Amino acid sequence: MAADVPTLVEQAREGRPRAVARLISLVEGASPQLREVMAALAPLCGNAYVVGLTGSPGVGKSTSTSALVGAYRRAGKRVGILAVDPSSPFSGGALLGDRVRMGEHASDPGVYIRSMATRGHLGGLAWAAPQAIRVLDAAGCDVVLVETVGVGQSEVEIAAQADTSVVLLAPGMGDGIQAAKAGILEIGDVYVVNKADRDGADATVRELNHMLGLGEARSPGDWRPPIVRTVAARGEGVDEVVEALEKHRAWMEERGVLAERRSRRAAHEIETIAVTALRERMGELRGGQRLDALAERVVGGSLDPYAAADELVAGVAGAAEGGDG
Ligand SMILES: Nc1nc2c(ncn2[C@@H]2O[C@H](COP(=O)(O)OP(=O)(O)OP(=O)(O)O)[C@@H](O)[C@H]2O)c(=O)[nH]1
Ligand SMILES: [Mg+2]
């Protein structure tokens, strides 16, 4: 069913949760109406401070997110929460768990909670998350917290979409070594050692400190990622996390880093949409047939793969100029 986009956008702007949810569903479902939605949202965006939270499964991301929401709500901020699970085709599972952990905020009209699955999506997380963030931004969220489940590439992707990236660790299990493997040490603006009520928190902080110090030659004005200890389950240390976030934000604003990051993010977003659109066109019937024909010629030796790729790109671009989209 086609959505009444102008009405939905108006309602989302007024902060109506159902309209916000519906718009994010359009993103998740890669609706053809998204073009219209994004055009309507564009002038309303740019206010939200986007914070990404990443870390190994079970480290306490959802618990920390919930505690952060509490802190921001006490400060009178409107908060959006986006839980992204790049490995799951269903948003329901993640949603269920998060609803339970975020229960105290579920009925707060100043809080939007939304889970999103991106697997099986042509453009994946890089395509969907920024658009969902735009919806929350336009809906008047002062802060958008993005929790990503999973490891490796998806964490790096989500970090690229946040203004500030928080990397969570917990004591034990060679977390530090895992972190290094996942390239996590390069993406954190703020590090949180959660579950500080458990043995080994000091060792984790030490190890992290050591690893963050390695291979670094910072100039005086550079950002030095702080390490904050928390017991998210009891809300301990959460004010310190908010403080670290505010400091990072102020530092970014002072140095023009925030504008730089946002413009890099927009460039990436544009690129992802363009590449996804190209792939879609190539996959369409016409392009598919064209690709098959080119493949036969490459196999037969009458065409080399570079020349074939040029022909395919030219064909796709020609179809786009033909004005069918
Ligand atoms: N001891 C202790 N347990 C905690 C703390 N914070 C969270 N937990 C518990 O750790 C478990 C996992 O917490 P979550 O917040 O769901 O962790 P998560 O990182 O969101 O997990 P996934 O989304 O599954 O990756 C839950 O049982 C929490 O109650 C803490 O500070 N101390
Ligand atoms: Mg979680």
Side-chain angles (χ1 to χ4, degrees):
M1 191 182 63
D4 174 2
V5 170
T7 304
L8 272 182
V9 168
E10 194 44 47
Q11 289 177 346
R13 189 183 186 174
E14 287 163 9
R16 295 221 222 151
R18 288 190 61 179
V20 175
R22 186 77 206 283
L23 289 174
I24 296 181
S25 293
L26 294 179
V27 172
E28 198 175 37
S31 163
Q33 290 187 289
L34 274 181
R35 188 176 279 265
E36 188 188 348
V37 170
M38 290 303 147
L41 295 184
L44 308 174
C45 292
N47 175 57
Y49 172 48
V50 183
V51 178
L53 289 105
T54 62
S56 306
V59 75
K61 296 180 294 295
S62 298
T63 311
S64 301
T65 301
S66 183
L68 280 171
V69 171
Y72 277 117
R73 290 300 291 146
R74 283 192 292 281
K77 310 275 189 199
R78 289 173 73 180
V79 188
I81 304 159
L82 195 61
V84 193
D85 186 350
S87 64
S88 164
F90 310 109
S91 54
L95 185 64
L96 202 62
D98 288 334
R99 279 258 182 247
V100 173
R101 270 184 283 285
M102 312 256 178
E104 58 174 310
H105 304 298
S107 57
D108 181 343
V111 178
Y112 302 99
I113 305 173
R114 178 67 196 222
S115 294
M116 202 168 57
T118 57
R119 195 178 74 177
H121 207 288
L122 202 52
L125 181 63
W127 185 91
Q131 301 191 56
I133 291 170
R134 279 178 182 279
V135 173
L136 293 168
D137 188 357
C141 291
D142 300 296
V143 181
V144 175
L145 303 170
V146 186
E147 175 191 344
T148 323
V149 180
V151 287
Q153 189 50 38
S154 54
E155 289 179 322
V156 177
E157 267 181 33
I158 209 67
Q161 293 166 2
D163 293 325
T164 299
S165 288
V166 179
V167 173
L168 286 100
L169 297 122
M173 301 299 288
D175 236 333
I177 294 149
Q178 281 176 8
K181 266 194 208 153
I184 267 179
L185 293 170
E186 269 130 60
I187 61 172
D189 299 306
V190 172
Y191 289 86
V192 170
V193 174
N194 187 38
K195 305 195 184 183
D197 53 327
R198 293 208 177 151
D199 286 345
D202 288 340
T204 304
V205 170
R206 254 198 322 274
E207 190 183 0
L208 188 57
N209 232 323
H210 176 68
M211 295 182 91
L212 286 171
L214 292 177
E216 134 237 59
R218 292 196 172 89
S219 337
D222 282 357
W223 177 253
R224 193 173 166 73
I227 303 172
V228 185
R229 281 165 217 246
T230 60
V231 183
R234 298 203 295 255
E236 291 170 25
V238 173
D239 288 342
E240 284 77 4
V241 176
V242 172
E243 204 177 293
L245 292 174
E246 291 308 317
K247 268 193 194 149
H248 184 245
R249 183 188 189 164
W251 175 84
M252 286 193 298
E253 276 173 352
E254 233 166 68
R255 308 216 136 213
V257 175
L258 188 58
E260 207 177 280
R261 280 192 180 190
R262 287 183 173 178
S263 113
R264 217 190 309 146
R265 192 160 93 204
H268 187 60
E269 192 181 352
I270 297 164
E271 203 179 304
T272 307
I273 290 174
V275 168
T276 305
L278 277 174
R279 270 205 230 132
E280 260 164 16
R281 285 184 198 280
M282 288 185 194
E284 278 162 14
L285 192 62
R286 225 172 340 154
Q289 279 171 348
R290 194 191 293 265
L291 184 55
D292 288 346
L294 289 169
E296 269 171 39
R297 286 167 62 198
V298 169
V299 170
S302 66
L303 195 68
D304 73 85
Y306 279 90
D310 284 345
E311 256 189 56
L312 183 65
V313 170
V316 168
E321 274 161 23
D324 60 343

